[in-house]
Amino acid sequence: MSRQPFALLVAGPTASGKSALALGLAGHLGGAIINADSMQIYAGLEVLTAQPSAQEQARAPHRLYGVRDPAEAASVAWWRGQALAELASARAAGRLPILCGGTGLYFRSLTEGIAPVPEIPPHAREEARALLAEKGPAALHALLAAADPETAARLRPSDSQRLARAFEVWRGTGRGLASWQREPGTGPARLGGVPWRFAALRLDPPRDALRAAIRQRWEAMLRAGAVEEVRALVARRLDPALPAMRAHGVPELSALLAGRLTPEQAGERACLVTGQYTKRQATWFRHQPLAAPSETHTIHARVAGMEQFSERERGEIFSFVRSRVDGGGEGA
């Protein structure tokens, strides 16, 4: 390995096969997989968030899966700190760090850094959540627009999670999030003062393949116990504004358990919402690349495993990764 630390990013929309690709690479290249998905960090939602199974986790080291209680919202800053520690640990163990997920902001917190937003007081966070629950995201967007129009202009009125975050930052610091983001931030990830190098494998499968995969995954989740997971989560009576309570499938199965939706309605709604989300994810990754074009290899297929690729295609993928592992830096 070169002296400059290197990590591989495996990114793409939900149900595109990121985990299968990362696992195949980890097995062939001696990798450690680090979760970069904002929902897969939560414990108790292993089935519904499609976390790697125990058998899959036994095939290669997996980190930051199911490590956060759903009652505790995880910030990008928290995840970045955890990911930096896992990157360093993988490097020290002589393993290739493979960051795998669909949360663009997580990846960007490493490749570009994050703004120096102070710790938000609990009262500001509680007020933001209360307003969101009482008035809804559109009304919260209007309140934010009056207080912090610059940040509000960047957010969709339906994006409840980011609206709540923006409102709590303004309420807790007296400054808007956009204003904080203009301040010098942490900068790209570093190890002992040396910046990490990143290359990316980006999955961008056809829409019809994703829609079919989402439907198949939903049916598999139901067979594997997704309803029981949501039943246990609902029993905790957590704040509905918490990120885990809005994980794909949680609102729909909560409504099913409450008798407000039939199983067919819950499935249709969950698959529709997930499909809409994957479209936004794919657009984000296309227009906000995680690495330079020369450091990005795009796969236009849904990945079920490395065995689906032809010998030539596997060779291209492994050649791309190996050349980046060995390239750059000051030599071995």
Side-chain angles (χ1 to χ4, degrees), residues 97-122:
I98 302 173
L99 291 126
C100 175
T103 303
L105 292 178
Y106 278 11
F107 288 117
R108 193 158 63 181
S109 76
L110 293 178
T111 61
E112 298 182 16
I114 56 176
V117 182
E119 187 70 22
I120 304 302

Side-chain angles (χ1 to χ4, degrees), residues 8 22 41-42 46 54 133 140 146 149 162 166 172 199 234 272 298 317 320 331:
L8 180 67
I41 63 173
Y42 290 110
E46 290 80 7
L140 186 59
R162 291 192 174 92
V234 169
L272 175 63
T298 302
I317 294 171
F320 171 83

Side-chain angles (χ1 to χ4, degrees), residues 80 109 112-117 180-188 190:
R80 185 180 191 272
S109 76
E112 298 182 16
I114 56 176
V117 182
W180 282 110
Q181 289 171 341
R182 287 195 296 272
E183 296 285 336
T186 60
R190 305 177 77 86

Side-chain angles (χ1 to χ4, degrees), residues 62-87:
H62 284 69
R63 302 290 184 260
L64 301 185
Y65 290 92
V67 296
R68 188 86 170 180
D69 189 278
E72 301 174 351
S75 67
V76 175
W78 173 86
W79 178 84
R80 185 180 191 272
Q82 299 294 310
L84 286 173
E86 295 297 350
L87 283 166

Side-chain angles (χ1 to χ4, degrees), residues 227-264:
V227 175
E228 288 71 23
E229 279 189 345
V230 174
R231 192 190 310 276
L233 188 65
V234 169
R236 297 184 62 181
R237 300 183 183 278
L238 299 178
D239 184 342
L242 285 165
M245 298 302 292
R246 299 192 302 278
H248 292 137
V250 170
E252 293 79 15
L253 291 181
S254 298
L256 171 66
L257 291 169
R260 296 192 301 272
L261 292 178
T262 66
E264 293 75 17

Side-chain angles (χ1 to χ4, degrees), residues 131-218:
L131 286 169
L132 181 62
E134 178 186 351
K135 298 180 179 296
L140 186 59
H141 186 271
L143 291 172
L144 181 66
D148 178 15
E150 182 181 3
T151 303
R154 301 180 180 182
L155 301 175
R156 291 179 291 107
S158 60
D159 196 341
S160 56
Q161 184 174 347
R162 291 192 174 92
L163 285 169
R165 171 60 176 168
F167 189 87
E168 73 181 30
V169 167
W170 169 77
R171 193 72 178 86
T173 69
R175 288 177 59 184
L177 186 56
S179 173
W180 282 110
Q181 289 171 341
R182 287 195 296 272
E183 296 285 336
T186 60
R190 305 177 77 86
L191 178 66
V194 180
W196 283 86
R197 291 186 298 113
F198 296 102
L201 290 173
R202 181 174 69 89
L203 278 67
D204 190 19
R207 297 295 309 158
D208 58 347
L210 272 184
R211 283 192 292 266
I214 289 167
R215 170 57 67 179
Q216 292 167 4
R217 174 180 285 190
W218 176 256

